[in-house]
Amino acid sequence: MIGTIASFNRTSTSGVIRSQAGDSVPFDSAAVLAYDISGLTVGQQVIFELEGRAAQRAINIQTLRRLPQIEGRHDEMAELRYMGFESQGDARIYRFERLSRGEDKQTFALKIDMMLFRKYHVMIQEGPALCLWLLGNELKMEAASQLQLPGAITDQYMSAWVATKPLPGSKSGRKSVARTPTETSHHA
């Protein structure tokens, strides 16, 4: 289901989601996916499931990542949804779905070698956000039918991600507006 956060109390770590059908569904922060809880705000759209019959509660809550409109497709707003990961040897494969009005669901998988997390001092919990950043940038640059995603996050992508991170003690938020390696090649 899709809904909007109607209220959220960080002290009690609970809140209410207003579903698209207009129902108010309570939730606890334990029901929010770990990488989404820190950015959860009132008014934010989320995807969730219902638990229970009579007294329903929201579970498996994830924020929706809205992508910019793709050139030539002004009526489309795409949504990326993190579907989880699997371990494969010394790597993690992160899976995502792209939902667009009037189109079939698309799935993406990005592989990250665990050595890259250590090499660049990136916490493993940043894996989904890193992949969403890359997918969002790539989808912004290419029409969906021409999308050429890498199958794996490389040194080049990890380095570009690290360049977007705030400096320790920085109040400005980000080091710079870094471009993905693909954005750089599109503008060269």
Side-chain angles (χ1 to χ4, degrees):
M1 299 183 80
I2 296 178
T4 303
I5 301 296
S7 68
F8 182 58
N9 183 326
R10 291 200 182 276
T11 306
S12 68
T13 67
S14 63
V16 174
I17 297 172
R18 173 95 45 217
S19 74
Q20 285 181 323
D23 299 325
S24 293
V25 183
F27 72 94
D28 184 86
S29 63
V32 181
L33 295 184
Y35 72 92
D36 280 342
I37 191 67
S38 64
L40 202 60
T41 60
V42 172
Q44 188 168 37
Q45 281 200 312
V46 293
I47 297 173
F48 65 99
E49 296 173 11
L50 293 176
E51 176 183 61
R53 292 193 185 266
Q56 294 184 326
R57 296 190 62 78
I59 59 170
N60 297 328
I61 303 165
Q62 318 177 44
T63 59
L64 281 178
R65 305 291 195 278
R66 291 246 183 237
L67 298 175
Q69 291 181 350
I70 296 171
E71 187 176 327
R73 302 172 82 178
H74 304 290
D75 62 336
E76 175 188 6
M77 279 302 282
E79 300 163 352
L80 279 177
R81 181 178 181 189
Y82 174 56
M83 301 304 294
F85 74 90
E86 65 183 71
S87 295
Q88 188 179 74
D90 289 337
R92 276 199 174 174
I93 299 172
Y94 295 92
R95 300 197 183 287
F96 298 85
E97 283 183 348
R98 179 175 178 263
L99 308 169
S100 299
R101 276 183 268 162
E103 291 188 17
D104 291 335
K105 173 177 55 177
Q106 292 178 296
T107 58
F108 304 103
L110 291 170
K111 184 177 183 177
I112 304 178
D113 188 309
M114 298 301 283
M115 288 300 296
L116 288 176
F117 286 108
R118 288 187 285 271
K119 179 178 178 180
Y120 287 93
H121 306 285
V122 172
M123 294 189 324
I124 196 167
Q125 293 86 345
E126 292 182 57
L130 185 159
C131 293
L132 279 169
W133 171 76
L134 175 62
L135 285 169
N137 284 323
E138 293 298 319
L139 288 167
K140 189 171 29 174
M141 297 300 298
E142 300 290 334
S145 61
Q146 301 168 351
L147 187 61
Q148 297 288 321
L149 281 175
I153 301 292
T154 63
D155 273 285
Q156 188 178 13
Y157 289 114
M158 189 65 85
S159 178
W161 168 254
V162 170
T164 69
K165 308 285 287 158
L167 291 169
S170 164
K171 293 182 182 177
S172 64
R174 297 218 177 257
K175 289 181 183 178
S176 64
V177 178
R179 296 176 181 241
T180 63
T182 304
E183 282 181 305
T184 304
S185 65
H186 284 291
H187 297 288

